[in-house]
Amino acid sequence: MRFAVTNMDKRVSPVFDVSLAIDIYDSEGYGHSAAFVSAHSLPATLGGKISFLLECDIDTVICGALTKEGEDSLFRSDIETYSFIRGSVDQVVKAWESGELSEQRFFLPGCLRVHHCRRMRRNRRRIQV
């Protein structure tokens, strides 16, 4: 699988919809090691961002906050999300590898848990880890 972390000066970008850069990793899945693939600039528009992620075969996005429109666009595109995450990209990737993204230190201020959204059997399901 391939996942991406929004990147702003080596930290997770605070809002996906206005993120300008992304780092791409290959991994067997959450809780498994990750290998850096590449870093990219993102298009300015939400539609451009989604198209770019689909072209890169991104399965999962790790990001800060998501607007409702951003969350809906990622969901419709079958891209899983871990949102309301903060920290350095290196720390977040290590937390992905060890399965520790649900630790409080990665939550944005005021957030009680990580928001994990994925599609399951055609039904929308939001899982809060």
Side-chain angles (χ1 to χ4, degrees), residues 6 12-13 23 50 64 66 68 83 98 104 107 115 127-128:
T6 58
V12 175
S13 301
D23 291 348
I50 300 299
L66 275 170
K68 180 69 172 144
S83 58
S98 62
Q104 183 71 40
F107 303 169
H115 297 266
I127 299 171
Q128 296 186 345

Side-chain angles (χ1 to χ4, degrees), residues 46-100:
L46 180 59
K49 286 175 178 49
I50 300 299
S51 294
F52 177 80
L53 294 173
L54 292 171
E55 289 171 18
C56 292
D57 294 322
I58 301 297
D59 300 297
T60 303
V61 169
I62 300 172
C63 60
L66 275 170
T67 64
K68 180 69 172 144
E69 182 182 5
E71 181 180 38
D72 289 345
S73 294
L74 289 164
F75 173 76
R76 283 192 306 275
S77 300
D78 287 328
I79 298 173
E80 186 175 3
T81 60
Y82 287 83
S83 58
F84 299 94
I85 299 289
R86 70 172 177 171
S88 74
V89 171
D90 290 341
Q91 291 171 327
V92 167
V93 171
K94 286 177 186 171
W96 167 276
E97 293 175 326
S98 62
E100 297 174 346

